[in-house]
Amino acid sequence: MKVRASDKMIDIMSQWGINNIFGLPGDSVDTTIDAMYRAQDKIKFTHVLHEEVAALSASAQAKLTGKIGVCLSIGGPGAIHLLNGLYDAKMDHAPVLAILGQVQSKMLNTDFFQEVDTHVLFDDVAVYNKMIMDPQSLPRIVDEAIRTAYSKQGVAVLTIPDDIPDHMIADNFSANVDNFKIEDYQVDDAEIKKALDLMKIHSNPIVLAGTGIRNAKKETLDFIEKFKLPIIQTMPAKGMVADDHPYNLGQLGKLGTKAAYEMMQKADLLIMLGTDYPYAPYLNHKIDAIQVDINGDKLGKRHRVNVAIQGETKKVLARMIELGDEVKERPFLDTAINHMAQWRSWMKDVYSKDHEGVLPSKMFHDLSAAAPDNAVFSIDVGTSTAFGARFIDAKPTQKYTISAWLGTMGCALPGAIAAKMMLPDRPVYAVAGDGAFAMGMQDFATAVRYKLPMVITVLNNKLLAFIEYEQQSAGQQNYGIGLPDIDFAKFAEACGGIGERITTNEQYVEALEKYKNTDRPVVLDVAVTDEAPLPGKIVMDEAKGYAKFGMGHLIDKKSMPELPPMKEILRSFL
């Protein structure tokens, strides 16, 4: 029996549970689009307005659900537009399949219109990168690409000349869905006992957990409670243990808490669970360490490790809980709890201070309080990331997605689109600065077109605010950070959605209630005040930078710069 190669490719994808593809049609991918037209009952095509949004949405889908995200574009310019979103997937270890068009086979290597060597271009971003030359091989290679994206938690790229999918091929290939298994590492009790013995001889152990605990939330909670361990979570793991749990110290680093910084320095044992935390200078490298990770190449990468256990965090923690003796009290944990209580008191002072307009810290606190227990947060890069880390108390029942390692502006809206498409019964909240939202705001119209109700908060201060403070902390004068005055509420209405201008925190709370059950996408254009997202701990180099900036401003502008309240500065510095 013969079947069209493009139809078989779509069938293989459907067998893997793929039910949506983000992308744009075009000449070098039209044969694949034609097959998707014939298979609309199997796979939906979400037509976005920019290829970068397609890739960022596919990446966000993978991060939110664990299921492979798929994006599609023509070759040449469309493929190039995908790169940013695919690097986001690569760096956040999200399984994504990218299908790229290409000129017809007979035109390859002739410098034809839009011919770009995508196989070379995508080599760095991909864990699997193939150019399809034989129509009969297309189903097998698509199957192999999906398996590799899952097993290596990365990006698989297929470049397909547009004539290839149009060929008739023998229908003799079946997807390897039932045969596919991620390697199952056996838990070694000898290694477990080594780790437990190490924990016994250290009085000040601290946990640093990453996204490797996604499927081990209960075990992580039981682990820290049985052994009385303070826990720090990386930004991508935010909320996997409730942010308001008394043992939770928040994040570590520039966006983290002072409590996390201080307790890391006081710890004598670091227990790393499913994390490849990149900001190694914030770790205490003088102390012993235990590391648990499914990926062997991550063991010992960021910190010298005494006991390295390769395996699923869920199984390893379950066995440690089973074999270990409960710790009745731990003074180190008591100190950590007190430090974090003090930090929370300080943060309450921050969002409760007198202000005009909308105070970002208060706005994020109010969003956190209003969001239902099953909410999905899609948070953009910049001050949104900083204030979200600090003032949203995420819960294990909620989902929280960011562009963690790449830190690409413009990720919140694509993340919200993916969230609402994949999790339609859950309320979705996106938050972006005006600079970040402007990068991909055309696809608000995509949310309107597909009837995706969501609430998007735009922090509108006509300023690249995070860069403002980056420049200051480096001792540089502010330059090139102003933004045009855009009425995002009117833009939302022009797209067919709902737009509302917000000028007070009270109005913001009222709007969150008003649009709690919205049937259309909403943009809240929020006139925020310029509030500094100070680091949890200002280190000496940053303090010197701020001093240099202040002196330069005084010389250049003949005036002192506006500074955050002195007590906020001192709390972060001392």
Side-chain angles (χ1 to χ4, degrees):
M1 179 180 172
K2 295 282 188 176
V3 65
R4 201 170 300 277
S6 58
D7 293 332
K8 188 62 179 179
M9 174 177 68
I10 297 300
D11 178 59
I12 294 295
M13 294 166 67
S14 177
Q15 289 183 52
W16 276 97
I18 294 167
N19 59 13
N20 180 72
I21 296 176
F22 298 97
L24 271 80
D27 54 0
S28 62
V29 78
D30 278 345
T31 52
T32 299
I33 293 292
D34 194 40
M36 292 175 64
Y37 168 76
R38 293 189 291 272
Q40 293 177 65
D41 59 329
K42 292 181 180 179
I43 297 181
K44 180 176 182 178
F45 178 55
T46 301
H47 177 195
V48 298
L49 301 178
H50 196 292
E51 291 90 353
E52 182 177 346
V53 171
L56 284 170
S57 294
S59 177
Q61 174 187 322
K63 287 187 262 188
L64 287 165
T65 68
K67 304 296 184 182
I68 191 167
V70 185
C71 55
L72 170 149
S73 85
I74 65 168
I80 293 166
H81 279 161
L82 287 179
L83 267 172
N84 190 59
L86 295 182
Y87 267 100
D88 177 75
K90 172 192 175 175
M91 297 176 74
D92 282 356
H93 311 293
V96 167
L97 172 64
I99 299 172
L100 314 181
Q102 182 56 285
V103 301
Q104 292 193 6
S105 304
K106 64 183 179 181
M107 297 297 182
L108 285 171
N109 303 315
T110 66
D111 297 329
F112 194 70
F113 176 67
Q114 292 189 337
E115 183 185 358
V116 171
D117 191 347
T118 51
H119 183 71
V120 172
L121 183 66
F122 285 76
D123 192 55
D124 178 63
V125 80
V127 295
Y128 187 92
N129 184 18
K130 300 289 184 182
M131 166 86 85
I132 311 297
M133 297 304 296
D134 174 24
Q136 189 65 52
S137 70
L138 180 57
R140 174 186 61 80
I141 293 176
V142 169
D143 182 80
E144 192 173 87
I146 294 169
R147 284 186 281 128
T148 306
Y150 270 127
S151 62
K152 295 189 177 181
Q153 292 293 287
V155 176
V157 177
L158 300 181
T159 299
I160 310 176
D162 193 45
D163 58 305
I164 295 290
D166 213 28
H167 285 263
M168 302 300 290
I169 61 173
D171 188 6
N172 57 7
F173 182 83
S174 297
N176 284 289
V177 179
D178 294 336
N179 301 326
F180 177 71
K181 292 181 177 63
I182 300 291
E183 187 169 357
D184 184 15
Y185 294 93
Q186 298 302 309
V187 178
D188 186 344
D189 277 358
E191 293 298 313
I192 296 290
K193 289 174 182 176
K194 283 183 186 178
L196 291 170
D197 288 343
L198 199 61
M199 287 169 60
K200 278 184 180 179
I201 63 174
H202 290 82
S203 58
N204 297 358
I206 194 165
V207 173
L208 176 65
T211 54
I213 69 167
R214 179 182 289 111
N215 298 319
K217 295 176 185 176
K218 181 182 183 300
E219 289 77 11
T220 303
L221 186 61
D222 292 346
F223 178 69
I224 64 172
E225 290 184 344
K226 179 168 184 173
F227 297 109
K228 301 292 185 294
L229 303 168
I231 184 170
I232 298 167
Q233 293 180 109
T234 64
M235 272 302 304
K238 180 176 170 64
M240 292 183 185
V241 171
D243 279 342
D244 62 1
H245 190 286
Y247 295 10
N248 195 337
L249 304 183
Q251 280 71 55
L252 182 67
K254 284 185 179 294
L255 304 183
T257 70
K258 190 175 184 182
Y261 180 90
E262 291 176 337
M263 298 314 294
M264 175 62 73
Q265 299 307 310
K266 293 177 180 179
D268 60 8
L269 176 66
L270 176 61
I271 304 169
M272 292 180 284
L273 303 176
T275 179
D276 186 27
Y277 181 75
Y279 300 104
Y282 283 95
L283 301 178
N284 185 343
H285 291 276
K286 300 175 183 177
I287 61 178
D288 293 335
I290 298 166
Q291 187 172 3
V292 179
D293 206 291
I294 193 72
N295 297 312
D297 61 333
K298 302 294 189 290
L299 298 172
K301 181 178 177 181
R302 306 294 183 184
H303 192 288
R304 176 184 55 83
V305 175
N306 301 72
V307 180
I309 304 176
Q310 185 174 7
E312 287 185 44
T313 307
K314 184 181 182 73
K315 289 184 179 179
V316 173
L317 292 184
R319 194 63 176 149
M320 291 180 78
I321 292 165
E322 184 180 349
L323 296 180
D325 297 326
E326 182 177 4
V327 174
K328 299 296 183 183
E329 60 180 9
R330 192 182 297 278
F332 180 70
L333 174 63
D334 296 337
T335 301
I337 290 172
N338 290 335
H339 277 49
M340 195 59 189
Q342 181 67 68
W343 171 262
R344 286 187 167 275
S345 174
W346 289 351
M347 292 304 99
K348 185 175 181 180
D349 285 348
V350 170
Y351 69 71
S352 300
K353 61 178 175 270
D354 292 336
H355 63 276
E356 295 180 357
V358 181
L359 189 69
S361 55
K362 179 72 164 63
M363 189 201 80
F364 276 86
H365 170 77
D366 291 337
L367 174 60
S368 179
D373 287 348
N374 65 337
V376 181
F377 297 103
S378 181
I379 309 298
D380 222 303
V381 168
T383 53
S384 299
T385 311
F387 286 115
R390 202 151 290 173
F391 297 103
I392 290 179
D393 279 339
K395 304 176 177 68
T397 55
Q398 296 172 332
K399 289 184 179 289
Y400 194 96
T401 185
I402 61 170
S403 177
W405 274 35
L406 184 60
T408 184
M409 292 171 66
C411 64
L413 175 58
I417 290 171
K420 201 61 191 180
M421 296 203 74
M422 298 301 111
L423 307 165
D425 296 329
R426 300 181 69 155
V428 174
Y429 297 91
V431 186
D434 43 1
F437 184 67
M439 286 191 166
M441 69 184 193
Q442 75 284 330
D443 272 285
F444 180 77
T446 300
V448 173
R449 178 201 299 187
Y450 290 103
K451 298 179 173 61
L452 304 175
M454 60 181 68
V455 177
I456 303 168
T457 299
V458 179
L459 287 72
N460 192 347
N461 56 4
K462 300 178 286 296
L463 186 68
L464 294 170
F466 197 81
I467 297 173
E468 174 187 23
Y469 291 102
E470 281 184 335
Q471 290 176 345
Q472 292 178 9
S473 67
Q476 301 160 354
Q477 295 306 299
N478 293 133
Y479 184 69
I481 57 175
L483 293 173
D485 187 2
I486 301 174
D487 190 327
F488 294 104
K490 287 183 179 178
F491 161 78
E493 292 173 355
C495 291
I498 299 170
E500 187 167 329
R501 178 71 168 170
I502 304 294
T503 58
T504 69
N505 285 101
E506 292 74 21
Q507 287 178 356
Y508 185 68
V509 172
E510 291 169 2
L512 290 174
E513 178 63 26
K514 179 178 178 181
Y515 298 115
K516 186 164 59 176
N517 297 308
T518 180
D519 61 355
R520 283 188 290 163
V522 177
V523 167
L524 300 179
D525 185 0
V526 184
V528 293
T529 59
D530 190 12
E531 183 180 20
L534 292 176
K537 171 66 177 180
I538 297 176
V539 297
M540 185 56 68
D541 283 349
E542 291 169 331
K544 291 178 180 177
Y546 281 119
K548 181 181 177 183
F549 159 74
M551 183 59 67
H553 190 282
L554 181 62
I555 294 170
D556 188 39
K557 309 290 186 186
K558 304 298 187 290
S559 65
M560 289 297 295
E562 286 190 27
L563 295 172
M566 185 54 64
K567 66 179 180 180
E568 291 184 24
I569 295 174
L570 292 176
R571 284 169 177 172
S572 293
F573 181 64
L574 297 178

